[in-house]
Amino acid sequence: MQRLTDDQLLDLLNDLESDRVERKESFKGDVPKKARQAVCAFSNDLPGHNQPGMLFIGAKDNGEPSALQITDQLLMSLADMKTDGNILPLPVLSVEKRVLKNQEIAVVTVMPSDMPPVKFEGRIWIRTGPRRALANEQEERILNERRRYKNIPFDIYPVPTARLTDLSRSIFENEYMPNAFADDVLEANGRSYEERLASCRMILSPDDPTPTVVGLLAIGKSPQDFLPGAYVQFLRIDGTELADPILDEEEIGGGIVEILRRTEEKLKAHNRTSVDITQSVTHQLATPYPQVALQQILYNAVLHRAYESTNAPVRVYWFNDRIEISSPGGPYGNVTDENFGRPGITDYRNPNIADVLKVYGFIQAFGRGIATARRAMDNNGNPPIEFETNQSTVVCVFKSKS
């Protein structure tokens, strides 16, 4: 992340608002929404500056400080723009308190995205001079085309053997699009089917409609024909070792939504609720494992797994004394064996699959799954979750109540 010097920030602060600069006196009223629009526009970088956009909170239109108190709560609220899931793909930004002109100002630095177009609440925002605007069809095409020449993650690589007919138009238009785009954008019918697919990274471009990895996983008719390891292997084992008898097994394939929903149903079927009459005067319902904890780790396993250079599935092995969920691919990016699971330490091997899970409603906000699972396990009376990580696998172990 590029960090500008005080002199560089002062030059931008003193200059007229441009397609790289926006100033706000506070972070109240409609400013949080306008700030997210600005982050979206800076991420899209339509002018092609390849330089960070700067959002100053605590500065007047003329560049003078507004004497706003820059609190930790304000900085946290600004940082939440990155992970609250309203801007997709996730923006790359940093938030810091700086002293400029002898006053505190919050500075949000937004890097241009490698995966445009970026949307806020289903709309593609751009910046033309000092004005924010919604992208028109030609501007959207420019952003789509630009993505092809970036260092893109594997989940939007084209799959050369796949064809446009391998994607389900029905699922895209009836299930995905209504959740991915704002209503007013959907009503504007000037974009072709291929242009909408390209905007969602489901194909390489309108001119080259080769499906991408995320396209096949999100709306593919038979994703495993092209991504053989993209399934969940479920085993219910009557014992504590892999060699013990198997009570139930299934290979759960299909699109990513079908995989998650069917695996959740399988987990619910084995996670039978019982009546606990020993802990209180009134009867209480109890489950061996909190369902929300299993869901969060399952979502993480499917989201963060490696889809490249492996045919290994996500494995869900339910033993009599524990559940193990293993995901191919070790910790990624900023996440290491040493800091795995720590609050605030996140990175995304598959940021576009993350977008799909947000659009389909499996994820509301990012970076909180492990914390949610840990809290649920504690509230249910289970031992703490254990994680085992190496270069090729992440294994999460849920232990049953003692």
Side-chain angles (χ1 to χ4, degrees), residues 40-144:
C40 177
F42 289 147
S43 297
N44 280 320
D45 186 29
L46 182 66
H49 293 303
N50 291 317
Q51 292 182 309
M54 309 304 300
L55 173 62
F56 295 98
I57 305 295
K60 301 178 182 178
D61 288 342
N62 63 5
E64 293 302 311
S66 62
L68 177 68
Q69 185 178 4
I70 309 301
T71 63
D72 289 343
Q73 182 60 48
L74 172 60
L75 296 175
M76 290 174 61
S77 296
L78 292 170
D80 196 45
M81 293 192 296
K82 178 178 180 179
T83 58
D84 66 7
N86 290 312
I87 303 172
L88 297 173
L90 296 177
V92 178
L93 62 81
S94 66
V95 178
E96 57 182 337
K97 177 168 63 177
R98 301 287 286 269
V99 177
L100 303 170
K101 300 185 179 182
N102 298 315
Q103 293 279 349
E104 293 181 350
I105 294 178
V107 178
V108 182
T109 303
V110 185
M111 299 302 295
S113 174
D114 286 340
M115 297 172 289
V118 177
K119 296 190 287 287
F120 167 60
E121 292 185 340
R123 298 176 178 87
I124 300 169
W125 289 90
I126 57 169
R127 199 159 177 96
T128 54
R131 186 178 65 90
R132 288 188 311 278
L134 293 174
N136 61 33
E137 294 173 37
Q138 179 58 29
E139 290 161 339
E140 187 175 328
R141 290 190 191 100
I142 292 171
L143 294 172
N144 280 324

Side-chain angles (χ1 to χ4, degrees), residues 7 29 46 73 83 101 183 209 321 341 378 392 398 401:
D7 288 341
L46 182 66
Q73 182 60 48
T83 58
K101 300 185 179 182
D183 291 341
D321 63 342
D378 182 60
S392 60
F398 300 86
K401 300 177 186 178

Side-chain angles (χ1 to χ4, degrees), residues 291-311:
Q291 191 69 23
V292 67
L294 302 179
Q295 288 173 334
Q296 291 298 320
I297 299 304
L298 172 65
Y299 300 164
N300 273 5
V302 171
L303 165 57
H304 293 291
R305 63 154 294 167
Y307 288 91
E308 184 177 11
S309 303
T310 179
N311 290 333

